[in-house]
Amino acid sequence: MSPKAPITQDVMTIPRKLPEGKVNLVGLTRDRLRETLIEHGTPEKQAKMRTGQIWQWIYQWGVRDFAEMTNLAKAYRTQLAEHFVIEIPEVVTRQVSEDGTRKYLVRIAGGHEVEVVYIPEDDRGTLCISSQVGCTLTCSFCHTGTQKLVRNLTAAEIVGQVMMARDDLDEWPVPGAPKDETRLLSNIVLMGMGEPLYNFENVRDAMKIAMDPEGISLSRRRITLSTSGVVPEIARTAQEIGCLLAISFHATTNEVRDVLVPINKRWNIEELLQALASYPKVSNSERITFEYVMLDGVNDSDEDAHRLIEHIKRHKIPAKINLIPFNEWPGAPYKRSSNNRIRAFANIIYQAGYASPIRKTRGEDIMAACGQLKSATERARKSRKQIEAEAGLDRG
Ligand code: SAH
Ligand code: SF4
């Protein structure tokens, strides 16, 4: 293993063992779906057409029962039901915030749980989805980072979160009805639990399905992947997914970023910026979102704001800087910067010619805000002391 190889890959995706050995069709790429149908008796000559039909039933109409696939012969539907299931994660709890944000706790194979958050806004609705149960990384301000990685989600479990939300929002079209242009679920952000670039293939396959025009058909410009900075996977993300990219930047010196986002010890600020510089061109997207969590007295000085601009300018990265007021969680070793400080920081960035929106905190009353997600079953695994020690802080 080279010193720069990803830290993760000791935990493999565990394929779902289904009752009676049935195969879940959700999450398979079109090619895999076709092969799977052939393996289970669909004649090769028909396989392409059947793949298209079944695909549309699953992803365009939200059908889960083969009996409803009325353009397939009855005998064929029975045959499908003998071998396959169409299965998505099961909703355990659903909480609705005062501001309309919905937080779902969903259960996946093995009894693990992940959180999914739906954020309605005037002109869009964003679903924040998870890519792993827990996280291998230990960013010191992130609640998920206190939960060790349990496992990667499968592609079915990732795209299944989107299907689950469409169920809950009752947003599957009715056959024969015109297409709905104004969608409740119009955007996806991979900003829930986990580091998506440490589960690259499953995230890619799931997002390809979400973008497929004959299904959920979300534009790649409405999907944003957030990474803490897994440098070797950034070029692949541009080439193989082509979605928008957000980067958890959070600090302007390696000294501070080493503590806040420890993956920085592996790939430092300079290496990260170099990888980011080529992203917009390769992915044909406009700009990268720099996420910057505002931590009182840690990374929020005027000097930090100037250094941040300097980094971005030096590498000529088309960027928008999203300032995130720190969301507290039980035992968190940091405090949120004051509103005045956040505004002053935003102003310096704005004056330098970059958009610097301050992220509105949503769903805080139900612990659904950024960085507050953590499976209920895993909460309080670490003590406050442990977290503080790991964050390298001494707050007396
Ligand atoms: N692992 C990925 C995606 C999940 S985190 C990543 O790190 O980018 C999604 C965003 O929420 C990241 O920018 C993360 O830094 C931020 N975040 C984490 N904890 C937070 C907290 N307590 N308050 C505010 N933002 C937080
Ligand atoms: Fe993992 Fe992202 Fe949290 Fe860091 S910020 S611990 S990478 S989920």
Side-chain angles (χ1 to χ4, degrees):
M1 210 198 217
S2 90
K4 299 244 161 176
I7 333 173
T8 68
Q9 315 295 359
D10 49 345
V11 180
M12 298 294 292
T13 300
I14 304 159
R16 173 92 206 224
K17 256 204 208 135
L18 292 162
E20 305 148 42
K22 290 185 183 179
V23 176
N24 188 9
L25 295 186
V26 176
L28 304 181
T29 61
R30 272 179 187 271
D31 284 347
R32 265 311 287 151
L33 178 56
R34 189 175 157 275
E35 288 160 16
T36 306
L37 293 177
I38 294 170
E39 278 161 24
H40 291 83
T42 300
E44 250 190 275
K45 269 198 203 146
Q46 295 177 12
K48 192 165 176 231
M49 191 169 102
R50 300 287 171 245
T51 300
Q53 288 169 318
I54 295 168
W55 184 279
Q56 280 193 326
W57 282 115
I58 299 176
Y59 299 113
Q60 186 161 341
W61 307 114
V63 161
R64 305 282 148 74
D65 184 349
F66 295 103
E68 288 175 42
M69 301 186 176
T70 45
N71 58 354
L72 303 176
K74 249 198 178 143
Y76 185 58
R77 285 185 247 161
T78 312
Q79 186 191 330
L80 290 174
E82 276 165 17
H83 298 297
F84 307 119
V85 288
I86 301 163
E87 203 183 69
I88 64 165
E90 173 199 353
V91 179
V92 182
T93 58
R94 190 188 79 155
Q95 285 169 278
V96 182
S97 158
E98 283 166 1
D99 66 16
T101 302
R102 299 180 185 202
K103 182 169 89 170
Y104 308 92
L105 184 68
V106 301
R107 188 176 295 134
I108 56 170
H112 305 301
E113 290 164 351
V114 289
E115 289 176 329
V116 187
V117 179
Y118 172 73
I119 307 144
E121 287 172 277
D122 292 342
D123 57 344
R124 67 171 88 180
T126 304
L127 192 71
C128 178
I129 62 175
S130 294
S131 56
Q132 299 182 312
V133 187
C135 189
T136 39
L137 301 171
T138 52
C139 303
S140 52
F141 56 90
C142 173
H143 202 193
T144 308
T146 65
Q147 177 184 2
K148 73 172 204 273
L149 180 68
V150 179
R151 74 167 167 87
N152 281 340
L153 298 192
T154 63
E157 290 160 347
I158 298 168
V159 73
Q161 296 170 56
V162 181
M163 296 163 74
M164 173 282 295
R166 291 197 94 186
D167 287 354
D168 189 54
L169 297 166
D170 199 13
E171 200 174 37
W172 295 103
V174 182
K179 265 194 182 170
D180 190 352
E181 297 306 341
T182 50
R183 294 221 203 158
L184 292 172
L185 199 173
S186 61
N187 294 63
I188 296 176
V189 293
L190 279 147
M191 295 187 187
M193 295 163 64
E195 169 47 61
L197 295 190
Y198 274 158
N199 187 12
F200 186 86
E201 282 82 8
N202 289 324
V203 166
R204 176 198 57 205
D205 291 351
M207 291 307 102
K208 285 288 188 197
I209 294 171
M211 293 176 200
D212 190 292
E214 283 181 30
I216 301 167
S217 79
L218 281 173
S219 148
R220 62 186 186 85
R221 289 166 199 278
R222 287 183 173 271
I223 299 178
T224 303
L225 184 151
S226 174
T227 177
S228 57
V230 186
V231 165
E233 305 289 353
I234 288 178
R236 259 179 105 194
T237 307
Q239 287 153 6
E240 297 180 33
I241 310 179
C243 59
L244 303 185
L245 188 70
I247 183 85
S248 289
F249 207 68
H250 304 319
T252 61
T253 64
N254 284 319
E255 202 188 350
V256 177
R257 198 164 190 270
D258 279 352
V259 175
L260 298 182
V261 190
I263 200 177
N264 195 68
K265 293 186 210 151
R266 207 161 266 254
W267 297 290
N268 65 24
I269 290 181
E270 211 41 44
E271 291 169 286
L272 175 59
L273 289 166
Q274 279 168 20
L276 294 178
S278 46
Y279 191 90
K281 212 170 165 197
V282 181
S283 66
N284 188 25
S285 56
E286 281 154 32
R287 50 190 185 170
I288 291 177
T289 300
F290 281 67
E291 298 169 282
Y292 200 94
V293 63
M294 297 297 290
L295 304 172
D296 182 32
V298 175
N299 64 353
D300 62 351
S301 68
D302 286 356
E303 292 73 44
D304 279 304
H306 289 296
R307 261 196 305 268
L308 179 59
I309 296 303
E310 206 270 313
H311 284 317
I312 294 170
K313 285 220 158 122
R314 191 171 65 242
H315 288 270
K316 300 191 180 64
I317 302 174
K320 157 176 128 182
I321 292 90
N322 203 337
L323 300 178
I324 314 173
F326 174 60
N327 294 310
E328 302 204 0
W329 36 271
Y334 301 105
K335 293 241 163 320
R336 179 185 293 187
S337 308
S338 71
N339 288 344
N340 282 344
R341 183 87 296 269
I342 299 177
R343 273 196 293 268
F345 196 96
N347 201 33
I348 293 174
I349 294 167
Y350 181 74
Q351 295 298 334
Y354 295 90
S356 54
I358 300 168
R359 191 180 286 174
K360 258 198 266 153
T361 297
R362 300 288 303 261
E364 222 180 357
D365 53 329
I366 53 171
M367 286 284 287
C370 298
Q372 291 184 315
L373 304 185
K374 183 171 177 179
S375 315
T377 46
E378 301 279 343
R379 276 196 230 288
R381 205 179 56 87
K382 285 187 184 176
S383 69
R384 188 189 190 108
K385 239 185 174 162
Q386 267 175 302
I387 294 162
E388 284 182 10
E390 283 167 24
L393 285 180
D394 185 10
R395 296 203 155 220

